[in-house]
Amino acid sequence: MENLTITQHPFWLHIELNRPAVKNALNTATLVALADAFIQAATDQNIRAVLISGKDGNFAAGADITEIATKTSAQAATDPRKAHWATVRAFPKPLIAAIDGFALGGGLELALMADLIILGETAKLGLPETNLGLIPGAGGTQRLLALAGRARASRMILTGEIIDATTAHQWGIAAYLATGSALPDAIALTTKLAQRAPLALQAAKAALVAGDEAALAFTLERANFEALMDTKDKAEGIAAFREKRKPSFTGA
């Protein structure tokens, strides 16, 4: 798994996103590796919790733009990435995310699937997909809405604003704000959770997830994400991002 570094500890697993040259952007190969790791961890009785972080100072700076650039709505509707995201969402054991540096777009969507998020001082969070003529497509609109509320979720998603660690913690997006890097605190927390009763933790997580996500509009979010793939604004947004210029959207 060249895109991941996986380390086994007593009763817990550390998964580290390992694409530092692109700020750990989540391409399809990385999502495949993540899904495989979570499938194995779900049935391994020696693993009671999982910690996920990113290498070299960033969590994950979004999806891989090169994979999205030419994707059509029809291709997005049958994209295997949907199944990989579903595997992460279905992981039954406690999942902790340690965020240092950028957690943007798909990177933040991955973090929002965690049960507990710890932010380092350098953390920068955002769902800037509207800058590309798109919207989040892996649950980001719904999970951010549930955590931060309508006004703050609208502010981040509609404007593409990136917020700092202190703001994200104050808004309730993360459970913990570390002094310095998030990783030491995250390791301590994951170690603590791994010492607790595993069946009780899984039962508690199942109840929390069911109660939190029952009324969220994940299907509508995904359908709208897929529909936007064929728009000229999506093509213009990605071209502008690559060319480091302001996009000129036309509503087509």
Side-chain angles (χ1 to χ4, degrees), residues 49-243:
V50 169
L51 167 63
I52 188 166
S53 64
K55 202 166 190 69
D56 287 359
N58 288 293
F59 185 74
D64 193 319
I65 297 298
T66 60
E67 293 186 339
I68 297 174
T70 58
K71 188 165 291 184
T72 66
S73 293
Q75 290 170 333
T78 59
D79 194 334
R81 292 169 62 101
K82 289 197 290 185
H84 306 324
W85 283 120
T87 297
V88 178
R89 291 199 303 270
F91 183 63
K93 302 174 183 180
L95 175 59
I96 297 88
I99 300 180
D100 291 303
F102 287 118
L104 305 178
L108 180 53
E109 290 184 289
L110 173 60
L112 291 175
M113 293 179 187
D115 303 294
L116 294 166
I117 297 174
I118 299 179
L119 301 175
E121 290 181 339
T122 64
K124 301 289 185 183
L125 280 61
L127 293 173
E129 284 89 344
T130 53
N131 296 339
L132 303 177
L134 292 169
I135 65 170
T141 65
Q142 301 304 293
R143 291 190 175 88
L144 186 61
L145 175 65
L147 289 170
R150 170 71 181 275
R152 289 164 173 168
S154 295
R155 172 175 163 179
M156 289 182 66
I157 295 166
L158 298 182
T159 71
E161 180 180 354
I162 296 172
I163 62 173
D164 61 22
T166 300
T167 302
H169 183 248
Q170 290 174 345
W171 286 6
I173 298 171
Y176 300 93
L177 179 62
T179 301
S181 171
L183 196 54
D185 286 3
I187 289 172
L189 176 61
T190 310
T191 302
K192 179 180 179 180
L193 287 174
Q195 296 168 354
R196 298 179 65 79
L199 295 181
L201 291 180
Q202 291 178 49
K205 172 170 178 169
L208 287 164
V209 171
D212 192 41
E213 298 193 348
L216 299 183
F218 292 112
T219 302
L220 177 61
E221 178 200 77
R222 183 68 196 187
N224 287 342
F225 169 79
E226 292 169 3
L228 289 167
M229 283 290 174
D230 287 339
T231 63
K232 293 179 180 177
D233 278 351
K234 170 246 184 175
E236 164 62 11
I238 290 178
F241 176 82
R242 286 173 162 172
E243 296 164 12

